[in-house]
């Protein structure tokens, strides 16, 4: 492990993850469109839920929480990528880079936590429908959401503290935005020594939530088989939106973190592309799914468009 005496006075990093692109502007425009749709969809969900007191229920609070997480998660990576691709500025100062790393990792962990809380909501709703409103009150849901934010912030703060104390001697980040692996590999240290704790954290936070979600759905399936076929269809419909969200978030994670450890070889550009997909696609799909498949939100949007439609005079 290098000592701080070997440290070069580095105040900024150079993002080189897009250097191999033939058409960076075109890629930047695509990312800009996706990011704009994420902001539009997530903000729409938040505004509709906040403005309608009938939607101030545990399930909609969780949808609102997911929308807030999606905005933070996608913004933490998109701003730097758009600056590099569209503006052509590849340098980022250390402090903004460290802040971006914190927000990106917090968004990543909170995405898993938010999806896990939504699985818990569906589990209680289906296994204890008569006691659902007494078990999951608004106060309890808000406390659960706040707890996930506090715990994940503390965990990510620990990672940020690790990178803050590292001696840096490389200015080039072979990634598309600032994250923990990029900063560790830019330091004058053996990076393997600094990946043990994050691996444990990822296993507990992200894959721990996946195991909980999987067990929840096993319990839900066992419960659903005990009810009538008509009720079974309704239960499946209520869980289908959440299942789409689960697949969109966890599949890229398994490819990046599991398959690459058991034989799948990815080049650095392929890894960067996978990380971009893992960051933007879930945040894009989530608001679309809940706008289209949640009846109350969908009807509210249709009413807004209907009320704002001007009927031309004859």
């Amino acid at each position: 492990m290098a000592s701080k005496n070997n440290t070069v006075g580095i105040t900024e990093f150079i993002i080189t993850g897009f250097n191999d692109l033939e058409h960076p502007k075109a890629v930047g425009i695509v990312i800009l469109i996706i990011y704009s749709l994420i902001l539009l969809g997530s903000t729409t969900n938040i505004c509709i839920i906040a403005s309608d007191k009938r939607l101030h229920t545990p399930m909609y609070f969780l949808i609102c929480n997911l929308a807030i997480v999606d905005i933070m998660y996608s913004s933490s990576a998109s701003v730097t990528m758009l600056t590099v691709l569209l503006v052509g500025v590849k340098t980022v100062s250390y402090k903004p880079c460290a802040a971006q790393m914190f927000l990106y990792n917090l968004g990543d962990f909170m995405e898993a936590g938010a999806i896990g809380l939504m699985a818990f909501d569906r589990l209680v709703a289906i296994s204890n429908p008569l006691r659902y409103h007494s078990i999951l009150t608004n106060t309890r849901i808000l406390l659960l959401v706040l707890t996930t934010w506090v715990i994940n912030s503390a965990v990510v703060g620990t990672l940020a503290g690790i990178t803050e104390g590292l001696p840096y001697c490389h200015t080039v980040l072979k990634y598309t935005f600032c994250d923990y692996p990029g900063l560790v590999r830019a330091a004058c240290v053996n990076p393997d020594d600094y990946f043990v704790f994050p691996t444990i954290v990822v296993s507990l936070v992200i894959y721990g939530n996946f195991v909980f979600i999987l067990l929840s759905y096993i319990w839900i399936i066992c419960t659903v088989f005990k009810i009538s076929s008509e009720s079974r269809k309704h239960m499946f419909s209520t869980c289908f939106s959440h299942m789409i969200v689960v697949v969109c978030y966890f599949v890229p994670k398994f490819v990046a973190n599991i398959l690459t450890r058991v034989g799948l070889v990815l080049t650095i550009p392929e890894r960067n592309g996978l990380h971009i997909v893992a960051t933007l696609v879930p945040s894009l799909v989530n608001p679309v799914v809940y706008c289209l498949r949640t009846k109350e939100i969908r009807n509210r949007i249709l009413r807004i468009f209907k009320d704002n439609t001007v009927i031309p005079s004859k």
Side-chain angles (χ1 to χ4, degrees), residues 242 257 271:
H242 184 258
N257 299 328
R271 283 180 178 270

Side-chain angles (χ1 to χ4, degrees), residues 34 56 172 210 290:
I34 293 174
H56 292 181
V172 174
F210 177 77
Y290 286 109

Side-chain angles (χ1 to χ4, degrees), residues 79-105:
V79 172
T80 296
M81 291 192 293
L82 293 174
T83 301
V84 173
L85 292 168
L86 297 181
V87 182
V89 177
K90 297 182 180 181
T91 57
V92 55
S93 299
Y94 171 74
K95 290 296 183 183
C97 188
Q100 182 193 117
M101 182 213 71
F102 177 86
L103 292 175
Y104 175 78
N105 288 319

Side-chain angles (χ1 to χ4, degrees), residues 5 31 56 82 85 98 101 108 112 136 145 158 198 236 265 306:
N5 292 331
I31 292 177
H56 292 181
L82 293 174
L85 292 168
M101 182 213 71
D108 196 10
L136 290 183
V145 170
T158 303
F236 176 77
V265 179
K306 185 177 179 180

Side-chain angles (χ1 to χ4, degrees), residues 101-176:
M101 182 213 71
F102 177 86
L103 292 175
Y104 175 78
N105 288 319
L106 178 59
D108 196 10
F109 289 174
M110 278 303 305
E111 194 86 15
I115 297 172
L117 286 178
M118 297 175 90
F120 178 62
D121 174 77
R122 292 300 86 201
L123 175 65
V124 175
I126 292 174
S127 60
N128 290 283
L130 298 179
R131 297 182 57 213
Y132 171 76
H133 292 291
S134 61
I135 295 174
L136 290 183
T137 62
N138 287 350
T139 301
R140 287 174 180 170
I141 279 294
L142 291 175
L143 284 174
L144 283 173
V145 170
L146 180 61
T147 300
T148 59
W149 277 95
V150 171
I151 292 175
N152 286 319
S153 295
V155 172
V156 175
T158 303
L159 296 178
I162 293 174
T163 59
E164 179 68 26
L166 291 178
Y168 292 98
C169 55
H170 304 290
T171 59
V172 174
L173 301 182
K174 298 179 181 179
Y175 299 89
T176 55

Side-chain angles (χ1 to χ4, degrees), residues 152-258:
N152 286 319
S153 295
V155 172
V156 175
T158 303
L159 296 178
I162 293 174
T163 59
E164 179 68 26
L166 291 178
Y168 292 98
C169 55
H170 304 290
T171 59
V172 174
L173 301 182
K174 298 179 181 179
Y175 299 89
T176 55
F177 50 84
C178 298
D179 62 355
Y180 183 85
L183 289 178
V184 168
R185 289 192 171 98
C188 314
V189 297
N190 178 8
D192 293 338
D193 296 337
Y194 292 87
F195 286 130
V196 176
F197 176 69
T199 300
I200 295 172
V201 169
V202 168
S203 299
L204 291 175
V205 176
I206 294 181
Y207 296 111
N209 271 289
F210 177 77
V211 171
F212 172 75
I213 293 168
L214 184 62
L215 294 175
S216 297
Y217 272 104
I218 292 174
W219 186 269
I220 288 172
I221 291 171
C222 293
T223 302
V224 165
F225 276 122
K226 298 177 184 177
I227 62 179
S228 64
S229 58
E230 177 109 10
S231 299
R232 200 175 298 165
K233 290 179 182 178
H234 175 70
M235 297 298 182
F236 176 77
S237 178
T238 61
C239 291
F240 187 67
S241 299
H242 184 258
M243 290 165 61
I244 294 174
V245 170
V246 170
V247 169
C248 288
Y249 176 75
F250 283 102
V251 167
K253 296 295 179 188
F254 275 102
V255 174
N257 299 328
I258 304 297

